[in-house]
Amino acid sequence: MLKQAKSSFAWLLGFSLFSQITLADEVERWGVNMTQGVTAVSQEIYGLHMDIFWWCVAIGVLVFGVMFYTMIVHRKANGAKASNFHESLFLEVLWTVVPIIILVIMVIPATKTLIKVYDTSEPDLDVVVTGYQWKWKYEYLNEDVSFFSSLSTPSDQIRNLAPKGPNYLLEVDHELVIPIKKKVRFLITANDVIHAWWVPDLAVKKDAIPGFVNESWTFIDEPGIYRGQCAELCGKDHGFMPIVVRAVPQEEFDAWMAKKREASAAIAEAAKQTLTFDELYAQGEAVYQKQCAACHQPDGKGIAGVFPAIVGSPIANGDMRAHLDRVINGGKGMPPFGEQLTPVEAAAVITFQRNAFGNNTGSQVQPIDIVNFKQGS
């Protein structure tokens, strides 16, 4: 019997330890609690959250403790008899005043934190964040630098044809780079539908609404990479709209900005060049698979009643100017790609669409044609 008892005790102890480890792993894996964050404001929000949480726990324990005590001690089986009274001024005052005092105690630190959260004054850097279906555009005000940031997770991982990477669906082709120890203000809006720019580590979560600008800010002390995603259901590819913020020292940020300015100048210069048909077709195919295939499908057959096919399309096989207008300005449910594509990319993808999937028009578009069309000539 003693051996059985020891064995049972050891089994229970082992099961208890295993359960605790498993529970801790599950809590971390599922992110049950709020993200603590890396900025002073995010940690203050987390501290406020935990304070209020323990206040609620204490209130719950007190209320339910009184209830259970009353039900057990003053039950009829013990001979207790219910008091017969109509009103109690003391109780009325007690359960009115006490909650008010508790709320005031909660409101004071919450108000101080909210004031900090909404104080976007005197920033060192302004970044305009614009949501598109399904990517983000970042524009550094007064810096002449802007770019789009899109999901870079390989399609084979998404289709379960390859092992998933450590940052599955949370990796992009172009990161938002900001300097550390600087106050960065985000001016958040959208081009098409409502999105939400959310980076938990920075405690930033703001709706991106067409025609409206929301403000938020961050101040990061240490270099690092912080990931987030769109937090508003914005369409079929809502889950493929990640955010990656890279915080770097000021010197590294300045060098990165210089490279971005050079890249912008190179894009402008590239718009003046004349490409061969093969060059346009090859680059257009790559642009199509990245930008168009999600809706029009990789084989160009589209989805009946939802997204029109490129195969046999009256746009892709018709008037060139109408095709340019549809790609650049959008229409008929298609978003505008005039800002999202460089002149070279736009010319290439239009050339590809007009000569792929059996659309053998033989026509081609040069980057300068895109520039002229945007200028109305």
Side-chain angles (χ1 to χ4, degrees):
M1 290 292 291
L2 183 60
K3 287 184 178 180
Q4 288 183 338
K6 287 182 178 179
S7 177
S8 298
F9 177 76
W11 183 87
L12 287 172
L13 180 61
F15 178 78
S16 175
L17 291 173
F18 173 77
S19 299
Q20 291 177 15
I21 294 171
T22 303
L23 179 60
D25 291 343
E26 287 298 296
V27 167
E28 184 175 355
R29 185 166 75 91
W30 289 99
V32 172
N33 202 357
M34 177 183 284
T35 302
Q36 189 165 352
V38 298
T39 64
V41 169
S42 66
Q43 292 171 7
E44 188 169 331
I45 292 172
Y46 179 82
L48 177 64
H49 159 74
M50 293 307 300
D51 289 343
I52 300 300
F53 170 77
W54 289 117
W55 268 95
C56 293
V57 169
I59 293 169
V61 170
L62 178 63
V63 171
F64 281 97
V66 171
M67 287 174 56
F68 287 126
Y69 173 82
T70 302
M71 289 187 289
I72 293 171
V73 175
H74 298 289
R75 65 187 188 277
K76 186 177 181 180
N78 283 352
K81 293 183 179 180
S83 298
N84 186 11
F85 63 92
H86 186 265
E87 291 178 351
S88 172
L89 180 61
F90 173 75
L91 288 178
E92 293 283 354
V93 172
L94 186 66
W95 65 47
T96 300
V97 172
V98 171
I100 290 176
I101 294 174
I102 294 173
L103 288 174
V104 170
I105 294 174
M106 291 179 176
V107 161
I108 292 173
T111 302
K112 290 180 179 179
T113 301
L114 281 173
I115 290 174
K116 293 180 182 179
V117 169
Y118 285 95
D119 180 17
T120 60
S121 62
E122 300 181 359
D124 298 302
L125 177 67
D126 285 313
V127 180
V128 179
V129 180
T130 306
Y132 287 75
Q133 290 180 309
W134 290 271
K135 56 184 71 88
W136 297 98
K137 180 184 179 183
Y138 300 115
E139 180 181 358
Y140 295 77
L141 290 187
N142 303 318
E143 297 290 346
D144 196 28
V145 170
S146 65
F147 58 90
F148 282 85
S149 178
S150 304
L151 175 73
S152 63
T153 296
S155 60
D156 283 350
Q157 291 185 20
I158 297 172
R159 293 181 290 149
N160 293 319
L161 299 177
K164 291 177 170 50
N167 297 312
Y168 176 68
L169 296 186
L170 290 175
E171 49 199 339
V172 299
D173 52 0
H174 301 292
E175 301 166 335
L176 172 63
V177 180
I178 58 176
I180 61 172
K181 302 186 184 303
K182 297 288 185 179
K183 185 173 183 178
V184 180
R185 178 169 58 184
F186 303 113
L187 305 172
I188 302 170
T189 186
N191 178 265
D192 35 43
V193 299
I194 297 177
H195 302 275
W197 202 76
W198 177 46
V199 183
D201 282 322
L202 307 183
V204 175
K205 182 176 183 289
K206 283 290 184 179
D207 282 343
I209 305 171
F212 191 84
V213 177
N214 277 321
E215 294 184 53
S216 190
W217 67 279
T218 192
F219 186 101
I220 304 174
D221 290 306
E222 298 295 334
I225 297 176
Y226 311 104
R227 302 179 188 275
Q229 54 196 145
C230 178
E232 189 74 42
L233 187 59
C234 59
K236 62 179 286 292
D237 281 345
H238 158 69
F240 304 94
M241 197 171 170
I243 300 161
V244 180
V245 178
R246 180 187 293 271
V248 298
Q250 184 66 48
E251 298 78 14
E252 186 176 339
F253 175 76
D254 292 339
W256 178 84
M257 287 292 287
K259 288 183 179 179
K260 278 294 181 182
R261 292 191 190 96
E262 291 176 4
S264 297
I267 290 173
E269 188 63 28
K272 302 175 183 178
Q273 65 181 318
T274 299
L275 302 176
T276 66
F277 177 85
D278 291 339
E279 289 173 331
L280 289 166
Y281 190 93
Q283 186 165 345
E285 184 175 13
V287 174
Y288 179 88
Q289 294 301 327
K290 182 180 179 180
Q291 301 283 359
C292 314
C295 294
H296 298 292
Q297 302 302 293
D299 58 5
K301 294 182 178 179
I303 300 176
V306 183
F307 300 111
I310 302 298
V311 177
S313 164
I315 294 291
N317 289 276
D319 178 64
M320 177 71 78
R321 190 171 182 84
H323 197 170
L324 267 66
D325 182 64
R326 181 60 54 86
V327 171
I328 294 171
N329 298 321
K332 300 290 185 180
M334 177 175 165
F337 279 85
E339 290 187 51
Q340 303 183 44
L341 301 176
T342 66
V344 173
E345 291 173 334
V349 76
I350 292 174
T351 299
F352 173 77
Q353 290 177 356
R354 297 181 72 82
N355 294 278
F357 312 123
N359 301 334
N360 299 316
T361 65
S363 57
Q364 58 181 290
V365 182
Q366 292 296 332
I368 194 63
D369 297 326
I370 303 297
V371 174
N372 290 337
F373 182 85
K374 288 182 177 181
Q375 294 175 348
S377 60

